[in-house]
Amino acid sequence: MAPMNSGLRAEGTPPSGAEGGAPVQNTKVLMLAALGVVYGDIGTSPIYAFREALIASSGGEAASRGEVLGVLSLIIWALTIIVTIKYICFVLRADNRGEGGTLSLMALARGAMRDRPGPVLVVGMLGAALFYGDAVITPAISVLSAVEGMKVVTPALDPYVVPITLAVLATLFAIQRFGTGGVGIVFGPVTLVWFLAIGLSGLVHIFDGPEILLAVNPYYAVHLLTSRPEVAFVTVGAIFLAVTGAEALYADLGHFGRRPIVLAWLSIVFPCLLLNYAGQGAFVLTHEGKVDHPFFQMNPGWALIPMVVLATAATVIASQAVISGAFSLTRQAMQLNMLPRQTVMHTSETQPGQIYLSRVNLLLAIVVGLLVIGFGESGKLAAAYGIAVTGNMLMTSMLLYIVMRRIWKWPLAGAIALSALFGFIDIGFFLSNIVKIFDGGWASLAVSLAVVIVMWTWVRGSQLLFDKTRKNEIPLDFLVDNLARKPPHLVDGTAVFLTGDPSSTPTALMHSLKHYKVLHRQNVVLSVITAQEPTVPDSERVSIERLNDHFMRVRLRFGFKEHPNIPIALAICRRQGWKFDIMTTSFFLSRRSLKPSASSAMPTWQDRLFIMLARSAADATAYFRIPTGRVVEIGTQVAI
């Protein structure tokens, strides 16, 4: 079946909610909640980031004083420039009516570049695809690195690390269908305990080697990179592990608002991360530069097992956040017609953002499990980590430039200067990670490439299908005029015909006239439009245009974060004079059966992929929440 949303249009629309899209709640409560959802990923980076960067710099040998100070200096300034300056100070201000994230920023940029939206779509598509590459690596490396802490407790547990990791991940994906509402209550407090614990752990060891504080001087970072250029790229690639998760600050903007996210970072997350990284550096310095698992080793005795348990809980929370992000991103992509529609389950009666997509969950679980089995160690997975994240950040910088120029109206020199700074850093990190492609980086790129192919096939195939069907349709105004002059037999009731092109006669209407030779007294040509903003207020939901006594054209507008519900939206029409009654209304839908064509503009393999995607799309009746007893489907066959 071809998608009903293949002809959806994008428009602009207004806001709702409080500052930054967050509900009006106590700022401290929102800060606590943001700790669990927003900072779970970047908060678990200390488990492996410093270790991997030091191994990359020293080649696995005992690290020198200069290497320890240089690696720590790089981490400090990466967190400062990328997270604090780029995201906290600038990216978080680029909210789309309170919402953030790659696709939200893309929609904002496309709305400002209506003359050339194609390249912006490509950038947004690449950013979204790279996020999926990150979404499969994050649960694998986070949980695996935490469970590896058991080897520090006793090496005898080494054979059980992968099985336990798989069991934890299987449980995590299995409970997704029950929603995160109940579990989310403990996310914030557990993550708060986590940050306080790692901050205190680091602070204790700083006193053992206070010279580690010299790493605040960027000289040590520059000296490390320039004195050993042969390992500089590899070291920078490992350093990036410390800032993975920064995109979550922007992606979850709509859940909490800018103020709680900023305050949580400046008052809790940033200081605790700096203390822990500095503590690890001091610990390595006081142990002659030997590198194994400094994060766990600097918590000896009674503190080790509680830290392993807490680390496992924190990594599960970090994984939960990225899985939920994948669900939200998929829904946005469906609404923006970049992916075929899928059944969306709402797991909360009060929080519309808590959703579950079974197919996405299953695919993520399979890929994550294969990565854990295939790589087996967090150190090996670290090579696969970074490429997708750095690519995503680069896409964000490109879209941010458009926002600076077209929406914020920055002067050209200022926009170029800041974008050049961010772009230079992003490209540097990307190139340093791309060299790891044969060491495991291919994994995230393979996932991202698969998503790009699916998205591009869906976008291109949907447009070709729309163009082809439009050629065979006659203008709606022409048909309405002809039927007014020579009206067929009229029957009581209302017929609603869904279409992606409100200017053309819906295929279902033409076939209804051809086969039944009758016309309802009230006929509605209905289009569902996806706005370039996250939500649309009820006052702007419905647009009615009466063509004559028997025909009218209705447009329903939904934000890209809203789930279309046609019956509820049509009930709003009563305010505009149309007394809509669901019990006397029939909905006519076109069910297209697709087949490949030798004259198609797409290659045969892409034709077949598009047809497979179209057949996998959720039923339009269920997707638009139309009562099944009021639906008439009329089938047609189309060669693409």
Side-chain angles (χ1 to χ4, degrees):
M1 186 186 86
M4 284 300 303
N5 61 344
S6 59
L8 296 185
R9 294 293 183 268
E11 295 185 354
T13 160
S16 65
E19 177 248 351
V24 182
Q25 296 182 32
N26 186 284
T27 300
K28 293 181 179 179
V29 174
L30 289 173
M31 284 176 60
L32 185 62
L35 284 177
V37 177
V38 178
Y39 294 111
D41 190 2
I42 197 170
T44 55
S45 296
I47 300 175
Y48 49 82
F50 185 80
R51 180 193 68 193
E52 294 301 324
L54 210 52
I55 290 175
S57 176
S58 65
E61 304 295 332
S64 67
R65 175 180 178 275
E67 289 169 339
V68 174
L69 291 174
V71 165
L72 180 58
S73 184
L74 282 169
I75 290 177
I76 290 172
W77 286 102
L79 289 171
T80 301
I81 296 176
I82 294 180
V83 184
T84 307
I85 297 179
K86 177 182 177 179
Y87 280 91
I88 293 294
C89 296
F90 292 100
V91 176
L92 286 185
R93 297 182 184 275
D95 67 290
N96 188 346
R97 305 291 186 176
E99 292 293 335
T102 302
L103 292 184
S104 180
L105 185 61
M106 180 206 73
L108 189 66
R110 287 189 79 190
M113 291 190 65
R114 297 188 182 277
D115 52 337
R116 290 178 294 174
V120 180
L121 174 65
V122 172
V123 172
M125 190 181 297
L126 289 173
L130 290 166
F131 176 85
Y132 284 107
D134 175 32
V136 296
I137 301 291
T138 296
I141 191 173
S142 297
V143 178
L144 186 57
S145 63
V147 177
E148 283 176 346
M150 296 191 311
K151 295 191 295 184
V152 181
V153 177
T154 171
L157 295 175
D158 188 16
Y160 303 100
V161 168
V162 170
I164 292 176
T165 299
L166 292 174
V168 171
L169 289 169
T171 303
L172 177 64
F173 283 105
I175 64 174
Q176 293 301 312
R177 57 191 292 266
F178 299 108
T180 59
V183 182
I185 296 175
V186 300
F187 277 10
V190 170
T191 311
L192 176 60
V193 172
W194 165 256
F195 279 116
L196 295 178
I198 65 173
L200 180 60
S201 172
L203 180 62
V204 170
H205 288 281
I206 290 176
F207 288 108
D208 295 336
E211 68 171 322
I212 196 66
L213 298 179
L214 293 173
V216 174
N217 188 341
Y219 162 80
Y220 291 98
V222 175
H223 182 265
L224 177 66
L225 298 179
T226 55
S227 63
R228 300 188 61 195
E230 69 277 7
V231 297
F233 252 31
V234 180
T235 303
V236 170
I239 290 293
F240 187 77
L241 296 173
V243 296
T244 55
E247 278 287 319
L249 277 71
Y250 186 47
D252 290 305
L253 179 63
H255 294 291
F256 306 102
R258 180 176 180 272
R259 181 178 174 82
I261 292 175
V262 171
L263 290 178
W265 171 257
L266 295 177
S267 63
I268 300 173
V269 181
F270 192 32
C272 290
L273 288 178
L274 292 181
L275 287 174
N276 188 266
Y277 283 121
Q280 289 190 54
F283 178 83
V284 174
L285 281 181
T286 55
H287 286 74
E288 301 178 351
K290 295 180 180 178
V291 179
D292 190 8
H293 280 279
F295 178 84
F296 290 110
Q297 287 174 330
M298 67 180 188
N299 296 280
W302 65 269
L304 179 56
I305 294 179
M307 185 59 78
V308 171
V309 173
L310 189 58
T312 304
T315 55
V316 169
I317 291 174
S319 302
Q320 173 64 62
V322 78
I323 294 169
S324 300
F327 292 159
S328 298
L329 184 70
T330 302
R331 181 172 68 170
Q332 291 183 24
M334 291 189 302
Q335 288 294 83
L336 292 170
N337 198 33
M338 296 169 67
L339 286 175
R341 60 173 179 260
Q342 302 295 329
T343 301
V344 178
M345 288 180 55
H346 290 264
T347 59
S348 171
E349 296 181 358
T350 59
Q351 299 296 325
Q354 293 185 15
I355 58 175
Y356 170 70
L357 290 89
S358 58
R359 292 182 182 178
V360 175
N361 189 64
L362 178 61
L363 286 173
L364 286 176
I366 293 173
V367 176
V368 170
L370 291 175
L371 287 174
V372 171
I373 295 172
F375 286 87
E377 298 177 10
S378 61
K380 295 179 180 179
L381 262 174
Y385 209 20
I387 297 179
V389 187
T390 52
N392 193 353
M393 288 184 174
L394 182 59
M395 299 302 109
T396 297
S397 296
M398 295 172 66
L399 294 172
L400 182 64
Y401 171 77
I402 299 174
V403 172
M404 290 176 183
R405 288 286 294 149
R406 295 297 185 97
I407 298 178
W408 295 348
K409 306 299 182 183
W410 278 27
L412 181 62
I416 290 180
L418 193 61
S419 298
L421 172 63
F422 294 154
F424 175 78
I425 296 173
D426 291 338
I427 292 173
F429 275 124
F430 181 76
L431 293 177
S432 65
N433 277 279
I434 205 71
V435 299
K436 301 186 295 184
I437 188 169
F438 296 110
D439 296 325
W442 58 266
S444 58
L445 285 182
V447 173
S448 302
L449 179 62
V451 175
V452 166
I453 291 174
V454 168
M455 284 186 168
W456 179 244
T457 298
W458 184 253
V459 170
R460 189 182 184 196
S462 296
Q463 186 60 51
L464 290 174
L465 178 62
F466 177 79
D467 294 340
K468 179 160 289 191
T469 54
R470 189 174 186 178
K471 290 179 181 178
N472 299 325
E473 294 173 348
I474 62 174
L476 179 62
D477 293 338
F478 177 79
L479 177 71
V480 170
D481 291 341
N482 278 337
L483 292 177
R485 288 194 297 268
K486 298 179 181 179
H489 180 70
L490 298 178
V491 297
D492 292 334
T494 300
V496 177
F497 299 91
L498 269 69
T499 179
D501 182 11
S503 64
S504 299
T505 303
T507 304
L509 174 57
M510 292 298 299
H511 282 266
S512 177
L513 287 170
K514 176 181 178 181
H515 294 290
Y516 301 138
K517 308 290 192 298
V518 296
L519 187 69
H520 286 76
R521 292 192 182 277
Q522 186 69 61
N523 298 274
V524 178
V525 178
L526 178 66
S527 299
V528 177
I529 299 169
T530 298
Q532 291 283 14
E533 284 77 28
T535 58
V536 174
D538 286 348
S539 60
E540 301 185 19
R541 178 82 67 199
V542 178
S543 172
I544 297 178
E545 178 187 359
R546 186 167 288 280
L547 304 179
N548 61 23
D549 291 340
H550 301 298
F551 278 91
M552 62 181 178
R553 186 185 285 124
V554 176
R555 293 178 176 88
L556 300 181
R557 300 172 68 240
F558 295 91
F560 60 74
K561 289 201 71 176
E562 297 179 295
H563 191 91
N565 190 315
I566 287 179
I568 291 179
L570 290 180
I572 302 174
C573 295
R574 295 189 181 94
R575 304 172 191 170
Q576 301 189 30
W578 174 29
K579 300 189 181 338
F580 172 75
D581 182 6
I582 190 71
M583 299 310 297
T584 61
T585 301
S586 297
F587 292 85
F588 288 81
L589 279 66
S590 298
R591 178 178 287 273
R592 297 188 180 103
S593 176
L594 305 181
K595 64 178 183 179
S597 170
S599 59
S600 173
M602 295 193 300
T604 302
W605 68 266
Q606 201 169 24
D607 272 344
R608 296 188 182 278
L609 176 58
F610 176 72
I611 293 173
M612 182 183 72
L613 292 172
R615 288 173 179 170
S616 72
D619 181 70
T621 302
Y623 186 77
F624 291 116
R625 309 292 179 86
I626 305 172
T628 55
R630 312 305 307 170
V631 174
V632 177
E633 292 188 343
I634 299 177
T636 59
Q637 190 175 79
V638 180
I640 62 170

